[in-house]
Each structure stands twice: as structure tokens, then as C-alpha cells.
């Protein structure tokens, strides 16, 4: 039978969840996870039917339906005419590594979302805080150009200087937040 499993070691049985008796004679597609596109298998089969060794990572499905990842080397063995006749697959379970990679990718994506949210917040806050402060500074500056009593001038100068100091502080805080 083309693609039939002719040997399965104990480790492969343990990983796949199938007994040796359930595997032997079955088509290797029994383990197909549905994760890989058709082109993946086209490339794999093209490589081994030409007599070349294929190396890669492949996702399979256990008897219970759980996905597991393997790094695989598939070596073709030729018949007397030199055409590939049988194949041996040497595999190592890399499921834990793949799960860790997936978790790392999800954490990275979450961090990027948080960074974009922070940047958006800072842009809004920058506008929302700086705009009224510029209004206070501008209006107090205009007020200082009018005739005022000494007491009024002192108040207006205090408002103007305080506004400039507060705007400088706000700028420093927002700039520091952007650097972080």
C-alpha cells in the first residue's frame, strides 16, 4: 500500500497515542493535522520522490485529536533501479518548544498592543493638557500687555510664570513617558 506505515517504534506510539498494531499498514495520512497547506506536502513529496532527503517541522494529530509538532528528516531508500522505494522518517518531538514560541509570540503581540495604546494615550493627553495650558499662558501674556494695577500685574505674572513652569513639567513628563 502506497504511504503505508511499516514500522513504528515505542516512542512514536507513545507520542501519537496509537498502538503499533493500529499504525502498521495504515497510510501515514492517518496522522495529518490539517495545519499545513497542500503546497507543504507537495514540496515534501517532490523532494523525497526525487531521491533527496527532506528536513523540516511537521504538525501531526494524535489518536485523541491533540496536535503535536515534530522535527523530521525523511530519507528515501532506492530500489535496484535507483528509484525511491521506501522511506524512513527520523523525528523528534518539539511540541514544548513550539508551544513556548507561540506563548512568546502572543506575549510580544500583547506588548505591542499595550505600547500602541500607551502611545495613543500620550498623544491624546499631550494635546488635552498642553492646549489649555497654552491658553492660560497666552491669555495671561495678553493680560500683562494691558494696564494693570501693581497687585493685578503681580497676580498675572504669577499666573503666567506658573503656567510656563507647569507646561515645562508636563512636557518633561510626557517626553519621559514616550522614551520609556
Amino acid at each position: 500500500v502506497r504511504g503505508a506505515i511499516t514500522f513504528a517504534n515505542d516512542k512514536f506510539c507513545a507520542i501519537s497515542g496509537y498502538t503499533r498494531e493500529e499504525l502498521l499498514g495504515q497510510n501515514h495520512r492517518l496522522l495529518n493535522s490539517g495545519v499545513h497547506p497542500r503546497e507543504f506536502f507537495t514540496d515534501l513529496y517532490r523532494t523525497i520522490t526525487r531521491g533527496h532527503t527532506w528536513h523540516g517541522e511537521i504538525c501531526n494529530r494524535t489518536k485523541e485529536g491533540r496536535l503535536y509538532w515534530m522535527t523530521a528528516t525523511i530519507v528515501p531508500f532506492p530500489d535496484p533501479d535507483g528509484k525511491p522505494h521506501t522511506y524512513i522518517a527520523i523525528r523528534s518531538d518539539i511540541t514544548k518548544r513550539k508551544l513556548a514560541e507561540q506563548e512568546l509570540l502572543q506575549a510580544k503581540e500583547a506588548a505591542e498592543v499595550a505600547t500602541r495604546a500607551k502611545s495613543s494615550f500620550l498623544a491624546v493627553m499631550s494635546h488635552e493638557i498642553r492646549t489649555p495650558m497654552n491658553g492660560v499662558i497666552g491669555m495671561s501674556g495678553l493680560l500683562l500687555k494691558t494696564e494693570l494695577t501693581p497687585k493685578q500685574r503681580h497676580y498675572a505674572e504669577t499666573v503666567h510664570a506658573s503656567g510656563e513652569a507647569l507646561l515645562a513639567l508636563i512636557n518633561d513628563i510626557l517626553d519621559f513617558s514616550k522614551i520609556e
Side-chain angles (χ1 to χ4, degrees), residues 22-52:
E22 290 173 314
L23 288 168
L24 297 181
Q26 295 296 318
N27 188 285
H28 62 86
R29 288 183 182 91
L30 170 75
L31 304 165
N32 190 326
S33 64
V35 168
H36 303 287
R38 180 182 301 265
E39 297 78 29
F40 175 86
F41 292 105
T42 301
D43 175 62
L44 186 157
Y45 296 129
R46 183 180 306 125
T47 300
I48 62 176
T49 56
R50 289 181 178 165
H52 299 96

Side-chain angles (χ1 to χ4, degrees), residues 7 13 28 36 42 128 171:
F7 176 79
C13 292
H28 62 86
H36 303 287
T42 301
E128 294 298 324
N171 286 337

